[in-house]
Amino acid sequence: MSSEGALLESAQEAGELELEVRGPWQEAWRRFKKDRFAMFFLMVFGTFFLLALSAQVVELVQGDEATYAKSLAELGLDFPESHAPPTSRAFPLALFGLDWSGRSVLLRVYHGCKVAFLVGTFGGILSVLIGMTLGLLAGFFGGWVDGLVVYIYSTVASIPYLLLMLAFAFILKQGGFATAYRESFLANYVSLGLFNIILVIGMTSWVSLCRLVRAETMKVRELDFVQAARSLGFGQFRILFKHVLPNVFHLVIISFSLTFVIAIKTEVILTFLGVGVDKEPSWGSMIAIAKNELMRGIWWPLAAAGGMLFILTLSINYVGDALRDALDPKLKD
Amino acid sequence: MEQSLWGRGPVIGFVIKRLLYNIPVLLGVALITMLLFNVASGDPVSIKLGKAAKESQRKALAKQMGLDKPLVAQYGDFLVQTVTLDFGESWNDNTPVRKIFLRGVGPTLSLSIPAFFTGAILSIALALLVAYHRGGWLDRFMTMAAIAGISISSLVYILVLQWLLADQLKLFPIWGYEYGWGALRFIALPLLIWVLLSVGQDLRYFRTVALEEIGRDYVRTARSKGLSENRILFKHVLRNCSIPIITRLVITVPFLITGSFLLEIFFGIPGLGSTLYTAIQNSDFPVIKAFTMLGTVMFVLFNILSDVLYAYFDPRIRLS
């Protein structure tokens, strides 16, 4: 070790010098950690993620139908009683009561987690990929590329969101696409309804990110370090992905958290309207059924599904806000 | 030149320019809609006739609907429909789509217009209030309440409030509609729910806007002149906030047509939302297509209006 290094270290030990160098991501994480609520909600989110993951594993191991048959057997119900209220039985699976066909509400909301995370994660990833790629290309290359991208997103953004989503979801359920999908290998893992929702969210909710990334890329493109990279003779795409992308990536993360929430809420509404998930147990289908149950005093399926939905949405909303404050401190003022 | 900033010439020129600029956008939307319904849907003819129809029937219908023409011609047909606002007849009961649309506008607007104004006034007032008490317990409470409020699914809101206030407490009718003044009784509860939902969303935005203004130099100047906090808030801050507030509100106007979608379904209001819902349930293509196009046209027009207002209220921005 050089003498300079040793000197530095001794100075640090003595607390005279703080030479800890933090990257922007570490800096953001430090800011994020300060918000105790945000950390709490991040843990809630993590718990939901583990629940969803385990539900997926359970389904892969024993299959959908088997789960319920088994749960009923565990309940000791030969003829499952429909609409048994919560805690009317001493079995843990009946904790949230039973639904109209005598299935455990607890198990249904548990498997609903899986649908929520699939929709949120893959819908979010698809939307972010489209928005980010188009935004980067438009902002970086300008010219006709920019013109084309701006035209595409103005067109998509001109259709009111709900109408666009409904039209897409409706069409995907009909005819050609549905048949093709049912024959593909994917159909063994993800039902058509679920896949449609992911596709609809990806195709319809990328515009705001695309706008942001495009504007930010235009700014970054003119900065000195990009000019320096150019003068070093780096290729266009190398500059784009290695130098520009990291500087706009915080926008992608913030947008992902927003899209995640939109996706989960969209699943509920589309499923309620009859163009969403139809096979798997999902919070949306539980709420859709609850429409006719609530007036008859059967509140537990709605309470369970609505409650889970609320806790998950709240935690992502809060974490998303904290992320935005941490990653983009300029916005906070 | 300065004089004509808000003179007649530039405004009309600006509007025309924006309209022209939006023509390709509308053409694109029409193309997406046409491709979705005529091509991606697979086989509209069998959706209308059912799978058992005879080949001769199918051919006749395809010809009648113009589906045997090349795609370019189908696109042309759809453009003509859009321009003439004549989207043919519903597949469900053969009523002209235009008639269906006009029938639904009244009930929809009877709910959405009062809801829009009540919601807007309430969120602006609350936003100013919390901005005034920024950092205090009221501000923190409202911010938390708003974030919790927007985390509840709108479906759950509607279900629970309908059950609680109409079914259990019998304060409002559960379902139905009446034309004329009788509508008031039926729109009261959906209106309440709408206002609750929109305040949750707008409050956060308006609060940010108000706080941004409060941090500006002119507010500091006003304070140092010894103006009262009230005067600063209502005389100076509110005026300057009005620009982002108005633009946001104007942009939401087209959604007043479709916005009450869920509420209309739940409360049996025979408006455009219910109409669209029925159309989706029945795979009624002409109605859904017409909704998509008309919704887009409205959206584009109000976007232009919002830009014009923006420039009207903020002389720093020039129409160009």
PDB file of all heavy atoms in Angstrom, chain A residues 305-320:
ATOM      1  N   ALA A 305     -60.834  -9.708  -1.433  1.00  0.00           N
ATOM      2  CA  ALA A 305     -60.205  -9.289  -2.684  1.00  0.00           C
ATOM      3  C   ALA A 305     -59.921  -7.794  -2.671  1.00  0.00           C
ATOM      4  O   ALA A 305     -58.820  -7.353  -3.028  1.00  0.00           O
ATOM      5  CB  ALA A 305     -61.097  -9.650  -3.870  1.00  0.00           C
ATOM      6  N   GLY A 306     -60.919  -6.999  -2.246  1.00  0.00           N
ATOM      7  CA  GLY A 306     -60.734  -5.553  -2.204  1.00  0.00           C
ATOM      8  C   GLY A 306     -59.633  -5.159  -1.231  1.00  0.00           C
ATOM      9  O   GLY A 306     -58.854  -4.246  -1.498  1.00  0.00           O
ATOM     10  N   GLY A 307     -59.548  -5.866  -0.110  1.00  0.00           N
ATOM     11  CA  GLY A 307     -58.532  -5.559   0.893  1.00  0.00           C
ATOM     12  C   GLY A 307     -57.133  -5.828   0.375  1.00  0.00           C
ATOM     13  O   GLY A 307     -56.231  -4.989   0.504  1.00  0.00           O
ATOM     14  N   MET A 308     -56.944  -6.997  -0.236  1.00  0.00           N
ATOM     15  CA  MET A 308     -55.631  -7.330  -0.802  1.00  0.00           C
ATOM     16  C   MET A 308     -55.235  -6.307  -1.863  1.00  0.00           C
ATOM     17  O   MET A 308     -54.109  -5.818  -1.893  1.00  0.00           O
ATOM     18  CB  MET A 308     -55.664  -8.722  -1.451  1.00  0.00           C
ATOM     19  CG  MET A 308     -55.878  -9.856  -0.497  1.00  0.00           C
ATOM     20  SD  MET A 308     -54.450 -10.117   0.556  1.00  0.00           S
ATOM     21  CE  MET A 308     -53.602 -11.376  -0.363  1.00  0.00           C
ATOM     22  N   LEU A 309     -56.203  -6.006  -2.723  1.00  0.00           N
ATOM     23  CA  LEU A 309     -55.960  -5.041  -3.798  1.00  0.00           C
ATOM     24  C   LEU A 309     -55.541  -3.698  -3.211  1.00  0.00           C
ATOM     25  O   LEU A 309     -54.594  -3.063  -3.677  1.00  0.00           O
ATOM     26  CB  LEU A 309     -57.251  -4.898  -4.606  1.00  0.00           C
ATOM     27  CG  LEU A 309     -57.241  -3.984  -5.808  1.00  0.00           C
ATOM     28  CD1 LEU A 309     -56.262  -4.492  -6.832  1.00  0.00           C
ATOM     29  CD2 LEU A 309     -58.632  -3.915  -6.418  1.00  0.00           C
ATOM     30  N   PHE A 310     -56.242  -3.290  -2.155  1.00  0.00           N
ATOM     31  CA  PHE A 310     -55.949  -2.003  -1.537  1.00  0.00           C
ATOM     32  C   PHE A 310     -54.541  -1.979  -0.950  1.00  0.00           C
ATOM     33  O   PHE A 310     -53.772  -1.052  -1.187  1.00  0.00           O
ATOM     34  CB  PHE A 310     -56.985  -1.704  -0.452  1.00  0.00           C
ATOM     35  CG  PHE A 310     -56.636  -0.516   0.394  1.00  0.00           C
ATOM     36  CD1 PHE A 310     -56.643   0.752  -0.148  1.00  0.00           C
ATOM     37  CD2 PHE A 310     -56.292  -0.675   1.726  1.00  0.00           C
ATOM     38  CE1 PHE A 310     -56.317   1.845   0.623  1.00  0.00           C
ATOM     39  CE2 PHE A 310     -55.963   0.422   2.499  1.00  0.00           C
ATOM     40  CZ  PHE A 310     -55.981   1.685   1.953  1.00  0.00           C
ATOM     41  N   ILE A 311     -54.197  -3.026  -0.190  1.00  0.00           N
ATOM     42  CA  ILE A 311     -52.887  -3.026   0.476  1.00  0.00           C
ATOM     43  C   ILE A 311     -51.760  -3.017  -0.557  1.00  0.00           C
ATOM     44  O   ILE A 311     -50.800  -2.246  -0.449  1.00  0.00           O
ATOM     45  CB  ILE A 311     -52.747  -4.236   1.415  1.00  0.00           C
ATOM     46  CG1 ILE A 311     -53.825  -4.177   2.502  1.00  0.00           C
ATOM     47  CG2 ILE A 311     -51.372  -4.259   2.075  1.00  0.00           C
ATOM     48  CD1 ILE A 311     -53.916  -5.434   3.324  1.00  0.00           C
ATOM     49  N   LEU A 312     -51.912  -3.842  -1.586  1.00  0.00           N
ATOM     50  CA  LEU A 312     -50.852  -3.907  -2.598  1.00  0.00           C
ATOM     51  C   LEU A 312     -50.739  -2.571  -3.350  1.00  0.00           C
ATOM     52  O   LEU A 312     -49.638  -2.038  -3.527  1.00  0.00           O
ATOM     53  CB  LEU A 312     -51.126  -5.053  -3.580  1.00  0.00           C
ATOM     54  CG  LEU A 312     -50.083  -5.234  -4.677  1.00  0.00           C
ATOM     55  CD1 LEU A 312     -48.708  -5.472  -4.090  1.00  0.00           C
ATOM     56  CD2 LEU A 312     -50.454  -6.376  -5.603  1.00  0.00           C
ATOM     57  N   THR A 313     -51.902  -2.012  -3.769  1.00  0.00           N
ATOM     58  CA  THR A 313     -51.863  -0.749  -4.508  1.00  0.00           C
ATOM     59  C   THR A 313     -51.285   0.372  -3.655  1.00  0.00           C
ATOM     60  O   THR A 313     -50.463   1.161  -4.126  1.00  0.00           O
ATOM     61  CB  THR A 313     -53.285  -0.344  -4.950  1.00  0.00           C
ATOM     62  OG1 THR A 313     -53.993  -1.491  -5.371  1.00  0.00           O
ATOM     63  CG2 THR A 313     -53.238   0.657  -6.061  1.00  0.00           C
ATOM     64  N   LEU A 314     -51.720   0.419  -2.408  1.00  0.00           N
ATOM     65  CA  LEU A 314     -51.225   1.466  -1.516  1.00  0.00           C
ATOM     66  C   LEU A 314     -49.712   1.373  -1.366  1.00  0.00           C
ATOM     67  O   LEU A 314     -48.991   2.370  -1.455  1.00  0.00           O
ATOM     68  CB  LEU A 314     -51.906   1.352  -0.146  1.00  0.00           C
ATOM     69  CG  LEU A 314     -51.425   2.335   0.923  1.00  0.00           C
ATOM     70  CD1 LEU A 314     -51.762   3.754   0.509  1.00  0.00           C
ATOM     71  CD2 LEU A 314     -52.046   2.032   2.276  1.00  0.00           C
ATOM     72  N   SER A 315     -49.208   0.130  -1.173  1.00  0.00           N
ATOM     73  CA  SER A 315     -47.772   0.027  -0.949  1.00  0.00           C
ATOM     74  C   SER A 315     -46.996   0.424  -2.204  1.00  0.00           C
ATOM     75  O   SER A 315     -45.983   1.106  -2.103  1.00  0.00           O
ATOM     76  CB  SER A 315     -47.378  -1.371  -0.451  1.00  0.00           C
ATOM     77  OG  SER A 315     -47.828  -2.347  -1.327  1.00  0.00           O
ATOM     78  N   ILE A 316     -47.502   0.043  -3.385  1.00  0.00           N
ATOM     79  CA  ILE A 316     -46.768   0.443  -4.592  1.00  0.00           C
ATOM     80  C   ILE A 316     -46.865   1.949  -4.805  1.00  0.00           C
ATOM     81  O   ILE A 316     -45.887   2.597  -5.178  1.00  0.00           O
ATOM     82  CB  ILE A 316     -47.288  -0.288  -5.843  1.00  0.00           C
ATOM     83  CG1 ILE A 316     -47.266  -1.789  -5.617  1.00  0.00           C
ATOM     84  CG2 ILE A 316     -46.417   0.049  -7.049  1.00  0.00           C
ATOM     85  CD1 ILE A 316     -47.964  -2.540  -6.706  1.00  0.00           C
ATOM     86  N   ASN A 317     -48.057   2.502  -4.569  1.00  0.00           N
ATOM     87  CA  ASN A 317     -48.202   3.954  -4.718  1.00  0.00           C
ATOM     88  C   ASN A 317     -47.225   4.694  -3.822  1.00  0.00           C
ATOM     89  O   ASN A 317     -46.574   5.653  -4.244  1.00  0.00           O
ATOM     90  CB  ASN A 317     -49.629   4.382  -4.355  1.00  0.00           C
ATOM     91  CG  ASN A 317     -50.568   4.301  -5.533  1.00  0.00           C
ATOM     92  OD1 ASN A 317     -50.127   4.307  -6.685  1.00  0.00           O
ATOM     93  ND2 ASN A 317     -51.844   4.207  -5.272  1.00  0.00           N
ATOM     94  N   TYR A 318     -47.128   4.249  -2.585  1.00  0.00           N
ATOM     95  CA  TYR A 318     -46.244   4.943  -1.658  1.00  0.00           C
ATOM     96  C   TYR A 318     -44.780   4.767  -2.042  1.00  0.00           C
ATOM     97  O   TYR A 318     -44.008   5.722  -2.102  1.00  0.00           O
ATOM     98  CB  TYR A 318     -46.473   4.463  -0.210  1.00  0.00           C
ATOM     99  CG  TYR A 318     -45.931   5.449   0.783  1.00  0.00           C
ATOM    100  CD1 TYR A 318     -46.757   6.397   1.356  1.00  0.00           C
ATOM    101  CD2 TYR A 318     -44.572   5.461   1.097  1.00  0.00           C
ATOM    102  CE1 TYR A 318     -46.255   7.336   2.230  1.00  0.00           C
ATOM    103  CE2 TYR A 318     -44.065   6.404   1.973  1.00  0.00           C
ATOM    104  CZ  TYR A 318     -44.906   7.334   2.538  1.00  0.00           C
ATOM    105  OH  TYR A 318     -44.410   8.274   3.380  1.00  0.00           O
ATOM    106  N   VAL A 319     -44.415   3.500  -2.344  1.00  0.00           N
ATOM    107  CA  VAL A 319     -43.030   3.236  -2.738  1.00  0.00           C
ATOM    108  C   VAL A 319     -42.699   4.014  -4.013  1.00  0.00           C
ATOM    109  O   VAL A 319     -41.613   4.585  -4.151  1.00  0.00           O
ATOM    110  CB  VAL A 319     -42.808   1.712  -2.938  1.00  0.00           C
ATOM    111  CG1 VAL A 319     -41.460   1.448  -3.578  1.00  0.00           C
ATOM    112  CG2 VAL A 319     -42.901   0.996  -1.608  1.00  0.00           C
ATOM    113  N   GLY A 320     -43.672   4.076  -4.935  1.00  0.00           N
ATOM    114  CA  GLY A 320     -43.454   4.806  -6.185  1.00  0.00           C
ATOM    115  C   GLY A 320     -43.179   6.277  -5.933  1.00  0.00           C
ATOM    116  O   GLY A 320     -42.262   6.862  -6.513  1.00  0.00           O
TER     117      GLY A 320
END
